[in-house]
Amino acid sequence: CSWFALRAHIPALLVLEQPQRGREWRVRLAAVCSRTRKSTAKAETRVGRTLVKHKQMQQMFADPEIDVVLLVLPIPMMAQAVEAALRAGKHVISEKPAAASLEAALAILALQRSLPQPAPVWAVVENWSHKPSE
């Protein structure tokens, strides 16, 4: 429920909730995780409906209603959160950089490859990846 999540990620997810021609899948923002009630209240205001609220990531990762988690965290916390989510069987979208070091990122990849197949997907989001090249 960070500043950037409220201004960039949540609005993008709300667009993906809308049905679109030629797209069979739908996204539904179902839950948020934050340490404070204030930030979860801001997220609910932004979304315009009540969301499931988790105070700890492990609670959200254990929620059987959650298929995919979008992690918007400080870089030092990212690798550990990605690993925990993958171990819980959740697909993960994380911001860049993927981890605080190359070694940490490679460890996540090794973990993902070691999980039973089909393993959850881990995607690192970079907003330039969808910009047309010239």
Side-chain angles (χ1 to χ4, degrees), residues 82-130:
V82 171
E83 287 183 10
L86 290 172
R87 286 183 195 281
K90 306 301 181 192
H91 299 293
V92 178
I93 301 169
S94 65
E95 291 189 308
K96 55 118 182 113
S101 68
L102 176 60
E103 293 78 18
L106 292 173
I108 297 169
L109 288 172
L111 166 68
Q112 185 182 28
R113 289 185 188 121
S114 74
L115 294 172
Q117 296 299 316
V121 173
W122 173 39
V124 180
V125 177
E126 166 52 62
N127 46 347
W128 293 105
S129 63
H130 299 285

Side-chain angles (χ1 to χ4, degrees), residues 10 14 17 29 32 42-51:
I10 289 176
L14 293 175
E17 285 187 348
L29 178 56
V32 291
K42 285 180 183 180
E44 282 185 324
T45 298
R46 187 76 170 178
V47 173
R49 65 175 183 268
T50 302
L51 299 167

Side-chain angles (χ1 to χ4, degrees), residues 33-98:
C33 180
S34 181
R35 295 170 295 173
T36 68
R37 288 184 185 148
K38 183 178 178 181
S39 63
T40 55
K42 285 180 183 180
E44 282 185 324
T45 298
R46 187 76 170 178
V47 173
R49 65 175 183 268
T50 302
L51 299 167
V52 174
K53 296 171 236 10
H54 297 287
K55 284 195 170 209
Q56 296 181 354
M57 283 185 284
Q58 290 297 346
Q59 293 172 326
M60 186 170 57
F61 299 159
D63 187 336
E65 297 296 314
I66 304 297
D67 298 316
V68 180
V69 295
L70 169 58
L71 298 175
V72 185
L73 296 167
I75 297 165
M77 298 175 66
M78 191 63 78
Q80 185 177 3
V82 171
E83 287 183 10
L86 290 172
R87 286 183 195 281
K90 306 301 181 192
H91 299 293
V92 178
I93 301 169
S94 65
E95 291 189 308
K96 55 118 182 113

